[in-house]
Amino acid sequence: MRVKRTTIKDVAKVAGVGITTVSYVINGRDKEMRVSEATKKKVFQVANALNYSPNPLAAGLKTNSTRFVLVRTTSSSGTLQNLEVMLLLESLDTIMRQNEYSLTYNPGKLAEKLSAEACVCYNMCIEEFSALGNENYIPLVALDCIIDDPIFYQVNPDYAKIKAAADAYFGTVYDYVSLAYANEALREEILTVFPNVIFVSELSEIHALKLSSKLLLSHSSLFKAFAFMEKTVDILRYDAHLAVRPQVVFDCIKNAVNRIPADQAVHSARI
């Protein structure tokens, strides 16, 4: 089956601008025609995502591809967040090496140009994600953060599924302790499913908690942090999503790098 070639009309439609504006940007006439910097960046991002061939920047990215994938996170990270990132890197490393990618953590917090083939953005608020996206034309994959833009691949836990598993396991009242999230949309989603969720970011907060005898956890860092709990506490360490996450994240990276259009792949994965 012949794949339909992306046209300038496709780019204009997704970017929400006119065909003439896309033409000005692609041909370097944006300043002459007074196209705003924000519109210019949006056009380049869409053109790159859709693999629009006249885009010289996309061609440059392919030529200078380093096959490096970076992991970045929020600027407001705490002790548990840092531990979670290290465990995330450990879980992704094997599948990345199997597919000849080098995975590394970039501790930078400022929006800056990144030298990589793609970047996994873990637990970022929308403002930080957007700022990073405005500085880069490489694919950004949102992990554990909800981004209201179909251009970007997103991988998030299925909290309804987590709750169903906990309800079936405990059959009564229990406490759900979650890692604190900088991404407000994800926090609101968790609160919708678990109204009494307890968010933590530091070990000291865990020691101060007054919990019931039934406890639900779903983060690798919290599995380790609560290892000291007495055996009288019944802990459900829900890890079904963690087992499949490396493959799902890599598939998103691969699709994004290969510029698979939104209508040919699921952009928002729930695991």
Side-chain angles (χ1 to χ4, degrees), residues 71-79 81-83 85-86 105-114 119-125 127-133 135-136 182:
V71 173
R72 292 272 299 240
T73 189
T74 176
S75 60
S76 58
S77 57
T79 302
Q81 168 83 7
N82 292 334
L83 175 58
V85 171
M86 294 304 105
Y105 175 51
N106 183 318
K109 304 303 181 184
L110 299 176
E112 57 189 353
K113 293 192 182 300
L114 304 174
C119 180
V120 176
C121 299
Y122 176 75
N123 182 20
M124 275 192 182
C125 63
E127 293 80 9
E128 290 176 318
F129 188 94
S130 298
L132 192 62
E135 291 296 328
N136 292 274

Side-chain angles (χ1 to χ4, degrees), residues 39-231:
T39 298
K40 175 184 173 182
K41 289 179 177 179
K42 185 68 172 179
V43 169
F44 271 135
Q45 286 176 336
V46 172
N48 196 30
L50 298 182
N51 200 23
Y52 179 56
S53 56
N55 183 1
L57 179 57
L61 284 173
K62 292 180 180 179
T63 301
N64 300 313
S65 173
T66 60
R67 296 194 68 81
F68 269 94
V69 172
L70 301 179
V71 173
R72 292 272 299 240
T73 189
T74 176
S75 60
S76 58
S77 57
T79 302
L80 293 171
Q81 168 83 7
N82 292 334
L83 175 58
E84 191 71 23
V85 171
M86 294 304 105
L87 294 170
L88 169 64
L89 290 170
E90 183 179 303
S91 69
L92 292 176
D93 184 62
T94 299
I95 192 167
M96 291 297 178
R97 286 190 287 105
Q98 288 174 346
N99 289 276
E100 300 181 339
Y101 279 86
S102 293
L103 181 70
T104 186
Y105 175 51
N106 183 318
K109 304 303 181 184
L110 299 176
E112 57 189 353
K113 293 192 182 300
L114 304 174
S115 179
E117 191 158 315
C119 180
V120 176
C121 299
Y122 176 75
N123 182 20
M124 275 192 182
C125 63
I126 183 64
E127 293 80 9
E128 290 176 318
F129 188 94
S130 298
L132 192 62
N134 287 337
E135 291 296 328
N136 292 274
Y137 304 117
I138 64 171
L140 303 182
V141 175
L143 176 60
D144 280 21
C145 49
I146 298 175
I147 305 299
D148 187 22
D149 193 328
I151 291 178
F152 301 105
Y153 282 83
Q154 302 175 52
V155 181
N156 289 296
D158 186 335
Y159 284 97
K161 185 186 295 184
I162 294 175
K163 185 178 188 301
D167 289 349
Y169 180 83
F170 291 118
T172 184
V173 177
Y174 55 88
D175 289 317
Y176 176 45
V177 179
S178 168
L179 199 66
Y181 281 115
N183 187 269
E184 190 62 31
L186 189 58
R187 285 176 64 95
E188 290 178 1
E189 180 175 299
I190 295 172
L191 283 166
T192 299
V193 181
F194 295 100
N196 298 317
V197 61
I198 302 169
F199 291 112
V200 294
S201 58
E202 299 292 343
L203 288 170
S204 58
E205 296 172 355
I206 293 177
H207 292 295
L209 292 177
K210 293 182 179 180
L211 303 168
S212 69
S213 60
K214 296 180 174 60
L215 185 61
L216 167 64
L217 305 173
S218 61
H219 296 83
S220 299
S221 59
L222 296 183
F223 295 167
K224 293 185 177 295
F226 278 88
F228 67 89
M229 296 291 286
E230 298 178 3
K231 293 183 179 179

